[in-house]
Amino acid sequence: MPLQIAIVGSGPAGCFIAELLSRKIEDCQIDIIERLPSLFGLVRAGVAPDHQGTKNVTRQFEKTLEKDNIRVLANLNVGPDISYDELKSCYDLVVIATGASEDRMLNIPGEDSAGVYGSSHFVGWYNGHPASHQNPPELKGPSVAIIGHGNVALDIARLLAKTSNERAETDICAPAMSQLDNSEVSDIYLIGRGTPEQSKFTPPELAELKALSAAVPVISNTRIPETPSSDLDPREARAKQMNLDLFREFAENASNPVLTAGKTRIHLLFNHSPVAVASENGRIKSLKLKHQAEQASDELALPVDTLISAIGYRSREISSVPFDTQQGRIQHENGLIEPGVYATGWCRRGPNGVIPTNRADALEISKRILADLDSGQISAGKSGRVAMDNLIEAKQLKVLSYQDWKTIDQAEQDRAQGNKPREKFLTEAEMLQVLSS
Ligand code: NAP
């Protein structure tokens, strides 16, 4: 009797664990449950649309999803459609791999003003996520501030600073493309609370700022050390050194008016924390910043028209699944939520690392699952797919298969114009419409 497995989430974490379990457990049937009609989670909605090479990891995921012992149940939301208890009653083994798709709050006064967005919402908007398009951001005026010195902040700054030509081969969805092409943005502030050495940028992504045709990264009034601290491990020290070298180049740019003339300026500010947002007629007017090392009176009011906080993510709570509200992740012990239920990826360890980090994570969890199978803590016996199909039928849910997704996927590619790889559908209804036409 095959072991009946449900994996919740079709992003990198879900696809990696599916691939490992389908190979390592001799007799098993896996259902991958995805709340949207579209697949691949972070790869579709989070990875920058000008990083199509990174998005190509979906080809590897497709091979996994085409395996005989794996099927996809998309457009099925665990919580509202199928409860956590129902899920556990159907499957011998459940793995939650729902990532971290919610924005963390800055928790400063004025954060609720119009023109203030979290990075998940903003990135989801240009990446065509249906949730972001229910209330799309409005880019107004010349000045944008981005809080956070991580790679998500860099992605946003780069996409704002690119020209129409530089965005032409991306899959930025049409309404976002039109707003970006018509925006008046000329000054982008990347604001970090730490020192240059403490920033979380990775060097290749930081170096991409140098390659922009109509924008220049600049740093003013900041002492940039020649070398990083001596207590770092060699790999980290090398990366920090590369960042510091790039920062020094950016500082030279600031003193070269010929270089910056007529270009969008990407200002990197260090050692500053956001304190409050001031608004006029409900929309952000300026951002109050405090220098980390100075007195409260030394606050700086930066005039900004749009503010985006790129300070990391929280996982989405699923009704009845134990949740650590402080950390914003699923509650677990080394990946175990309760007997027979595990977590992997960002919902387990928080939003850090690159896509392959989730493979390492999935490998660790798969080893734990195999050990628990060996010791008899997990065993086959539940009716899995049969019980799930009965529930879906009883509740009259419109659940999509992998083939349905491939039809939507092809329709998005077919309607793309110019050099765009695809034109995404922006609502669940539009995706479902493709299947009924
Ligand atoms: P991140 O790398 O953790 O950076 C978050 C930034 O927000 C840090 O600078 C952090 O400062 C700052 N921050 C946190 N709370 C703050 C607060 N209350 N006030 C002010 N600043 C605050 O997160 P991320 O940029 O969201 O990226 C998530 C993960 O995805 C990372 O591992 C990243 O490398 C990865 N990613 C990779 C790529 C790529 O490889 N191309 C692209 C995008 C994302 P502190 O350091 O002081 O905490």
Side-chain angles (χ1 to χ4, degrees), residues 311-330:
I311 60 168
Y313 302 122
R314 294 170 61 82
S315 293
R316 193 171 44 85
E317 277 189 66
I318 302 173
S319 179
S320 304
V321 177
F323 195 74
D324 179 340
T325 43
Q326 186 122 26
Q327 300 265 353
R329 317 178 193 155
I330 305 263

Side-chain angles (χ1 to χ4, degrees), residues 152-175:
V152 170
L154 282 181
D155 284 347
I156 296 170
R158 190 181 65 252
L159 285 155
L160 286 170
K162 281 195 163 181
T163 60
S164 303
N165 265 348
E166 286 170 321
R167 285 190 285 258
E169 294 183 11
T170 70
D171 60 352
I172 295 176
C173 64

Side-chain angles (χ1 to χ4, degrees), residues 319-390:
S319 179
S320 304
V321 177
F323 195 74
D324 179 340
T325 43
Q326 186 122 26
Q327 300 265 353
R329 317 178 193 155
I330 305 263
Q331 214 164 50
H332 65 90
E333 211 174 286
N334 296 324
L336 182 74
I337 301 173
E338 61 175 288
V341 188
Y342 301 78
T344 187
W346 278 11
C347 73
R348 169 173 103 99
R349 67 172 202 283
N352 58 69
V354 287
I355 287 173
T357 317
N358 293 299
R359 190 173 194 284
D361 202 325
L363 191 61
E364 190 186 324
I365 292 301
S366 68
K367 282 183 183 159
R368 174 154 198 183
I369 289 172
L370 292 177
D372 290 350
L373 261 171
D374 275 350
S375 69
Q377 289 179 57
I378 310 167
S379 57
K382 295 187 183 165
S383 44
R385 290 185 174 178
V386 174
M388 189 55 153
D389 289 347
N390 287 340

